[in-house]
């Protein structure tokens, strides 16, 4: 009798997990092609462009070559271990030029597997500081780097690691020394697959103030990408497996976050970009997590891509009180496979992928 | 030999209260197993219905170029057929009583008519065409429409599916179109015992055609059983000189049908399977399956873009919304138009590998339930079951 009850509970639990996960997995394997205008790839990026950060002048920094092999190597394509971690810079104002590789500081050569990226512009000195999540062999780091435009190189300012950094994904810079960073899992190894399967909530969202790191949101799973609203009062966080974007009200200084609203996007969303000029949110998304998983296990299998734009229609103090969803870009994986990020600058779009190329599109509304 | 005595019921307790000794353990296990399987079957049905009817779907609107309404169409534009020189014939004022689809009461005011929209003069409104010598004109409730142009570009035959309410039967009306007077002259009513619940039509000659039956029972509660039980009682017919041939059998809710420009292929929309079937057409008009193209959405109608040979497929991305928005015109249904273009330049391989471009997607704001779409040059015309008609300039 006891055994039967246990078996029944286990079955009910598995069914519930399967149902919750399957929606994000995607029930269709068709990637619709949809262009906002003329689109093309940006050379020479071919081994990923997971996240992109843009300056107010349209200088885009792209993190490329993330080696997923530290994340359960048996589940991912062996070629990932050959990927070389790089940062590229692409100028929206000189879009005909290719993306250019930026040289890394000595400590990071052969020690760079970049993921989420953010930047700070010093309005007085014009200095650009890059904050990059780096999956080093020895652990999870946030690298703070200074960009030297004349030499197109990055110099090391500071490397931060912390016991709370278990599986970092994206970073949001607050000031020169402090940032918010998300953990998308507790385990870095193959055990991480158990977390969504069993619904384990062992992730946290961390605030590092320059000296001390603390969890400001705990007991979550799958905190993915983070961005800041125009007025700094709201923090946006994506939850891919639940297909939603969460909006938190932020208290500056203490960096306490309180959940204000949850937008159900209806697709597995990856990185979020907050457009400072319009307040729109741009999301790189995966129409089918099932196909994305297949693409990661064999890079030649293409995964469909989609970009979603959330336009705020509410008042200044609560912009997403009402909103509208649009999708200006979709692809079957031939142009870009597995779109993880999308940034918008003056009617142009740059779309990045987990392990593939980059697309540059002109938006003709 | 020692007999095994078991003294049954020594205390004389009434038989029906005596415990498990008298029940075989096998039967309770069997019952539980059956219940479990029953639950799984129901769960599988529910989940497949949810997915098929699109309850889980979010539609993200986008349309390239500028889109606007086409006046004066407000009471539906269920199907559109286009000539090679850009004249689009639109059926309007559909009634769906034969399928027992609950409809908004305003559908009673719908007047069944055919409109003409000229792509060469898109700024002009659509013109209601005069129909001459059509018997029981007040009972005209058109759905699928197809055009046959004589090779010399002279004569135009217009073939229309008609859901006659008074006779409670479906017929096909054949008209001849006069280009100069813009009048439709009724030539023939085709009646056939195989015409059950007609949906769409594809002309193969001035008076021969393929036609789809999207189900079997009409004006009967058995239609509800057919729909929800997912019984494949629809079919596809080819009609020539009053002879009807069943070319495809055992189909569930098949709708749109189209013929390739060279007449070699026939395309069928299968909303249930969320795919499009491509058949090769034999000399005898019989059809053999050639390819199934997965669309990931429920297709309704298929038209051919004559300049490229691409398939233009109008879809109901959230299928259940169609029924909701027909029963209440205030509820809007999502719309979607896809273009299937070939990956190969080889004409024999054109329907083997295709790329799917999403030309238009809307959450119901601009147009509710896209039931048909045609492309001419850089322009797109989209029709709906009971709502407006939209014209989009794809150049942007």
């Amino acid at each position: 009798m006891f055994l039967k009850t246990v078996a029944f509970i286990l079955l009910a639990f598995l069914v519930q997990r399967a149902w919750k996960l399957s929606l994000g997995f995607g029930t269709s394997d068709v990637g619709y092609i949809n262009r906002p205008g003329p689109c093309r790839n940006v050379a020479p990026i071919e081994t990923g462009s997971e996240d992109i950060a843009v300056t107010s002048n349209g200088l885009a920094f792209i993190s490329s070559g993330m080696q997923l092999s530290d994340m359960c190597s048996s589940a991912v394509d062996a070629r990932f271990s050959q990927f070389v971690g790089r940062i590229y810079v692409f100028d929206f104002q000189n879009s005909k030029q290719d993306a250019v590789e930026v040289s890394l500081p000595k400590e990071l050569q052969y020690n760079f597997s970049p993921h989420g990226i953010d930047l700070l512009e010093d309005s007085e000195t014009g200095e650009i500081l890059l904050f990059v999540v780096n999956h080093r062999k020895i652990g999870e780091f946030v690298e703070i780097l200074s960009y030297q435009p004349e030499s197109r190189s990055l110099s090391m300012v500071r490397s931060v690691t912390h016991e709370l950094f278990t599986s970092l994904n994206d970073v949001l810079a607050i000031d020169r020394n402090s940032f918010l960073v998300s953990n998308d899992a507790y385990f870095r190894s193959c055990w991480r697959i158990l977390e969504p399967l069993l619904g384990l909530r062992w992730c946290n969202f961390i605030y590092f103030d320059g000296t001390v790191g603390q969890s400001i949101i705990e007991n979550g799973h799958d905190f993915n990408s983070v961005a800041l609203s125009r007025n700094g009062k709201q923090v946006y966080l994506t939850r891919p497996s639940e297909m939603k974007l969460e909006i938190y009200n932020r208290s500056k200084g203490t960096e306490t976050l309180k959940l204000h609203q949850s937008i159900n996007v209806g697709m597995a969303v990856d990185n979020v970009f907050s457009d400072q000029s319009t307040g729109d949110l741009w999301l790189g998304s995966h129409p089918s997590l099932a196909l994305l998983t297949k693409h990661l296990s064999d890079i030649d299998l293409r995964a469909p891509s989609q970009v979603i734009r959330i336009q705020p229609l509410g008042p200044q103090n609560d912009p997403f009180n009402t909103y509208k969803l649009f999708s200006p870009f979709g692809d079957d994986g031939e142009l870009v496979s597995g779109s993880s990020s999308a940034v918008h600058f003056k009617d142009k779009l740059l779309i990045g992928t987990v392990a593939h190329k980059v697309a540059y599109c002109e938006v003709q509304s | 030999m020692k007999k095994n005595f078991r003294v049954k019921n020594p205390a004389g307790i009434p038989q029906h209260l005596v415990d498990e000794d008298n029940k075989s353990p096998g039967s309770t296990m069997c019952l539980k197993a059956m219940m479990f399987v029953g639950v799984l079957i129901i769960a599988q049905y529910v989940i497949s219905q949810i997915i098929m009817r699109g309850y889980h779907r979010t539609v993200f609107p986008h349309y390239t170029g500028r889109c606007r309404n086409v006046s004066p169409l407000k009471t539906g534009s269920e199907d559109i057929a286009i000539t090679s020189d850009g004249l689009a014939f639109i059926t309007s004022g559909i009634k769906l009583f034969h399928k027992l689809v609950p409809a908004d009461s305003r559908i009673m005011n719908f007047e069944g008519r055919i409109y003409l929209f000229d792509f060469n003069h898109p700024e002009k409104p659509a013109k209601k065409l005069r129909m001459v010598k059509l018997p029981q004109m007040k009972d005209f409730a058109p759905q699928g429409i197809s055009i046959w142009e004589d090779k010399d570009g002279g004569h135009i035959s217009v073939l229309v599916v008609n859901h006659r309410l008074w006779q409670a039967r479906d017929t096909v009306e054949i008209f001849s179109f006069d280009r100069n007077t813009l009048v439709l002259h009724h030539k023939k009513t085709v009646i056939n015992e195989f015409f059950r619940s007609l949906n769409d039509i594809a002309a193969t000659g001035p008076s021969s055609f393929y036609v789809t039956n999207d189900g079997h029972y009409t004006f009967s509660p058995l239609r509800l059983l057919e729909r929800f039980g997912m019984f494949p009682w629809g079919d596809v017919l080819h009609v020539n000189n009053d002879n009807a041939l069943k070319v495809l059998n055992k189909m569930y809710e098949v709708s749109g049908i189209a013929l390739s420009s060279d007449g070699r292929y026939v395309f069928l929309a299968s909303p249930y399977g969320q795919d499009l079937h491509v058949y090769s057409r034999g000399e005898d008009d019989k059809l053999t399956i050639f390819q199934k193209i997965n669309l990931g959405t429920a297709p309704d109608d298929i038209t051919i873009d004559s300049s490229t040979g691409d398939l233009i497929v109008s879809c109901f991305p959230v299928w259940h919304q169609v029924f909701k928005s027909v029963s209440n015109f205030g509820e809007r249904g999502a719309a979607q138009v896809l273009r299937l273009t070939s990956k190969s330049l080889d004409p024999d391989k054109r329907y083997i590998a295709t790329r799917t471009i999403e030309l238009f997607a809307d959450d119901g704001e601009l147009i509710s339930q896209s039931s048909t779409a045609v492309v001419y040059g850089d322009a797109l015309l989209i029709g709906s079951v009971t709502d407006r008609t939209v014209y989009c300039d794809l150049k942007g």
Side-chain angles (χ1 to χ4, degrees):
Chain A
M1 193 52 211
F2 175 70
L3 224 62
K4 281 188 202 163
T5 328
V6 169
F8 183 74
I9 292 175
L10 195 64
L11 184 66
F13 174 73
L14 285 175
V15 166
Q16 191 254 12
R17 290 311 305 159
W19 174 249
K20 281 212 95 173
L21 290 174
S22 62
L23 290 180
F25 244 59
T27 47
S28 121
D29 55 5
V30 181
Y32 302 128
I33 299 166
N34 159 25
R35 304 276 185 256
C39 291
R40 56 176 172 81
N41 288 125
V42 175
I45 301 172
E46 285 186 359
T47 54
S49 41
E50 209 276 346
D51 199 14
I52 307 173
V54 193
T55 66
S56 49
N57 287 332
L59 206 59
F61 290 84
I62 305 165
S63 75
S64 172
M66 177 169 63
Q67 300 113 49
L68 292 168
S69 14
D70 65 327
M71 231 174 60
C72 197
S73 51
S74 45
V76 302
D77 194 315
R79 285 171 279 186
F80 275 111
S81 53
Q82 310 297 325
F83 277 20
V84 175
R86 293 184 179 99
I87 302 278
Y88 286 90
V89 68
F90 173 81
D91 190 354
F92 270 100
Q93 317 248 47
N94 276 316
S95 54
K96 291 210 172 37
Q97 310 275 358
D98 291 347
V100 177
E101 186 180 343
V102 170
S103 54
L104 298 167
K106 241 198 310 196
E107 307 95 305
L108 296 182
Q109 283 165 15
Y110 310 115
N111 201 6
F112 197 50
S113 178
H115 201 150
I117 187 170
D118 193 16
L119 56 79
L120 275 183
E121 293 175 84
D122 189 319
S123 45
E124 286 165 34
T125 62
E127 186 192 12
I128 297 170
L129 270 185
L130 286 187
F131 288 65
V132 187
V133 164
N134 184 13
H135 302 293
R136 291 197 195 191
K137 294 183 188 62
I138 53 166
E140 303 289 280
F141 280 72
V142 172
E143 318 287 0
I144 305 177
L145 309 159
S146 176
Y147 179 60
Q148 320 299 328
E150 315 78 34
S151 53
R152 291 233 186 86
S153 63
L154 291 167
S155 59
M156 179 67 84
V157 172
R158 190 172 173 187
S159 268
V160 181
T161 188
H162 195 281
E163 56 177 1
L164 287 176
F165 295 1
T166 55
S167 173
L168 299 183
N169 193 299
D170 196 12
V171 61
L172 177 68
I174 307 281
D175 62 39
R176 299 188 65 88
N177 281 303
S178 59
F179 52 82
L180 299 182
V181 72
S182 59
N183 273 316
D184 60 19
Y186 180 77
F187 294 108
R188 197 69 203 145
S189 60
C190 294
W191 289 112
R192 64 187 288 123
I193 298 169
L194 277 185
E195 293 182 47
L197 274 181
L198 298 178
L200 300 176
R201 296 173 165 270
W202 291 348
C203 295
N204 44 24
F205 189 63
I206 299 155
Y207 167 49
F208 181 77
D209 68 2
T211 345
V212 169
Q214 51 173 293
S215 282
I216 48 177
I217 310 176
E218 296 201 292
N219 302 325
H221 59 91
D222 195 24
F223 291 117
N224 195 292
S225 171
V226 55
L228 192 64
S229 67
R230 280 196 284 187
N231 58 9
K233 294 209 175 120
Q234 290 183 322
V235 166
Y236 308 110
L237 199 53
T238 57
R239 312 295 294 274
S241 58
E242 289 174 43
M243 305 190 292
K244 62 185 183 194
L245 177 108
E246 290 177 340
I247 302 178
Y248 292 82
N249 285 333
R250 170 191 177 221
S251 313
K252 246 193 221 180
T254 55
E255 300 306 327
T256 17
L257 297 179
K258 194 155 154 240
L259 182 63
H260 170 71
Q261 187 186 355
S262 204
I263 296 179
N264 186 9
V265 181
M267 182 176 291
V269 288
D270 203 329
N271 291 333
V272 56
F273 169 74
S274 168
D275 190 334
Q276 301 296 299
S277 53
T278 59
D280 288 346
L281 293 178
W282 293 84
L283 300 159
S285 312
H286 305 290
S288 170
L289 281 180
L291 287 176
L292 178 71
T293 313
K294 281 201 200 147
H295 167 60
L296 296 180
S297 68
D298 180 351
I299 299 175
D300 296 326
L301 294 175
R302 298 300 168 85
S305 297
Q306 193 142 348
V307 170
I308 294 170
R309 168 184 163 222
I310 311 181
Q311 182 191 30
L313 299 170
Q316 277 244 342
N317 62 342
D318 193 9
F320 291 96
N321 176 281
T322 34
Y323 58 87
K324 194 156 162 98
L325 296 176
F326 297 91
S327 175
F329 178 89
D331 193 57
D332 57 359
E334 291 295 316
L335 185 72
V336 278
S337 178
S339 56
S340 54
S341 60
V343 299
H344 180 256
F345 181 81
K346 293 191 179 162
D347 290 333
K348 315 274 192 291
L349 267 184
L350 200 63
I351 300 153
T353 60
V354 183
H356 194 233
K357 301 180 183 175
V358 171
Y360 169 79
C361 294
E362 288 175 44
V363 179
Q364 293 168 345
S365 55
Chain B
M1 196 167 37
K2 196 175 175 188
K3 265 194 183 171
N4 243 352
F5 268 103
R6 271 184 104 228
V7 181
K8 281 186 186 166
N9 206 353
I13 299 165
Q15 194 63 27
H16 67 281
L17 292 177
V18 170
D19 216 341
E20 56 240 78
D21 285 0
N22 288 331
K23 287 196 199 136
S24 65
S27 67
T28 24
M29 267 308 284
C30 194
L31 197 66
K32 284 188 189 163
M34 275 169 56
M35 273 174 57
F36 184 68
V37 170
V39 166
L40 280 183
I41 289 175
I42 293 173
Q44 194 256 5
Y45 174 80
V46 168
I47 290 173
S48 67
Q49 285 290 309
I50 289 174
I51 290 172
M52 180 176 85
R53 294 180 192 281
Y55 283 98
H56 62 297
R57 268 282 183 74
T58 319
V59 176
F60 305 104
H62 73 87
Y63 23 93
T64 42
R66 289 151 297 163
C67 293
R68 57 170 173 82
N69 285 337
V70 174
S71 64
L73 290 153
K74 280 188 208 162
T75 55
S77 39
E78 209 274 348
D79 199 16
I80 304 174
I82 188 170
T83 64
S84 51
D85 58 351
L87 294 178
F89 291 79
I90 306 165
T91 54
S92 177
I94 193 175
K95 299 219 172 61
L96 292 164
F97 300 120
H98 64 293
K99 277 165 64 152
L100 259 64
V101 170
D104 189 302
S105 54
R106 284 169 278 190
I107 213 173
M108 291 312 297
N109 300 328
F110 278 17
E111 193 190 32
R113 298 307 286 256
I114 298 178
Y115 286 79
L116 182 70
F117 175 83
D118 188 350
F119 271 91
N120 303 296
H121 297 283
E123 67 288 349
K124 291 198 180 151
K127 180 175 164 47
K128 194 192 291 190
L129 291 176
R130 194 159 78 91
M131 296 180 289
V132 167
K133 286 212 185 121
L134 172 66
Q136 283 121 32
M137 209 173 90
K138 286 219 171 357
D139 196 26
F140 183 58
Q143 190 171 355
I145 185 169
S146 181
I147 290 170
W148 182 262
E149 291 177 88
D150 262 347
K151 285 285 181 299
D152 57 22
H155 186 244
I156 294 179
S157 273
V158 179
L159 294 76
V160 186
V161 164
N162 185 9
H163 299 297
R164 290 167 180 252
L165 195 56
W166 300 344
Q167 294 176 5
R169 74 181 313 161
D170 285 355
T171 59
V172 171
E173 313 295 343
I174 302 182
F175 298 87
S176 180
F177 179 65
D178 186 331
R179 275 179 181 277
N180 300 316
T181 57
L182 300 183
V183 165
L184 285 167
H185 294 273
H186 184 259
K187 293 293 177 201
K188 189 177 177 186
T189 296
V190 183
I191 299 175
N192 194 288
E193 49 170 344
F194 288 140
F195 289 0
R196 301 287 322 174
S197 176
L198 300 182
N199 190 300
D200 197 18
I201 185 166
T204 52
S207 57
S208 63
F209 51 89
Y210 284 101
V211 73
T212 53
N213 270 315
D214 58 24
H216 184 84
Y217 288 100
T218 54
F219 298 105
S220 153
L222 286 173
R223 186 56 188 265
L224 295 176
L225 173 72
E226 187 181 343
R227 186 184 308 138
F228 290 106
M230 312 225 328
F231 290 108
W233 292 337
D235 51 42
V236 177
L237 312 168
H238 185 262
V239 178
N240 196 356
N241 284 332
D242 295 329
N243 293 324
L245 174 71
K246 242 187 233 193
V247 292
L248 292 172
N249 214 349
K250 295 205 180 36
M251 318 287 305
Y252 175 74
E253 291 277 349
V254 281
S255 51
I257 189 163
L259 190 70
S260 64
S261 310
D262 57 12
R264 286 172 60 194
Y265 297 100
V266 170
F267 310 102
L268 190 65
S270 162
Y272 161 57
Q274 298 193 350
D275 55 9
L276 187 141
H277 299 181
V278 182
Y279 296 90
S280 7
R281 178 177 171 218
E283 292 278 312
D284 49 1
D285 297 313
K286 289 209 178 132
L287 302 177
T288 23
I289 188 74
F290 179 77
Q291 179 78 324
K292 279 191 189 176
I293 302 175
N294 184 20
L295 297 174
T297 184
D300 190 37
D301 191 45
I302 306 162
T303 60
I304 315 286
D305 173 11
S306 51
S307 55
T308 56
D310 289 346
L311 301 178
I312 307 296
V313 187
S314 50
C315 310
F316 299 134
V318 190
W319 204 18
H320 74 91
Q321 281 179 342
V322 184
F323 300 105
K324 249 184 26 179
S325 50
V326 168
S327 66
N328 177 0
F329 292 167
E331 299 257 7
R332 319 276 305 162
Q336 182 183 36
V337 178
L338 303 176
R339 173 196 280 273
L340 296 184
T341 189
S342 180
K343 275 188 184 171
S344 164
L345 291 169
D346 182 348
D348 285 325
K349 296 212 176 87
R350 91 163 308 125
Y351 303 113
I352 292 192
T354 52
R355 301 191 77 192
T356 311
I357 298 169
E358 191 177 58
L359 285 180
F360 177 95
D362 186 48
D363 56 4
E365 191 179 306
L366 192 65
I367 188 172
S368 179
Q369 335 117 6
S370 50
S371 57
T372 183
V374 292
V375 161
Y376 186 74
D378 281 322
L380 172 67
L381 188 68
I382 310 168
S384 68
V385 183
T386 54
D387 193 53
R388 308 186 273 247
T389 308
V390 163
Y391 172 82
C392 293
D393 181 354
L394 295 174
K395 265 208 306 276

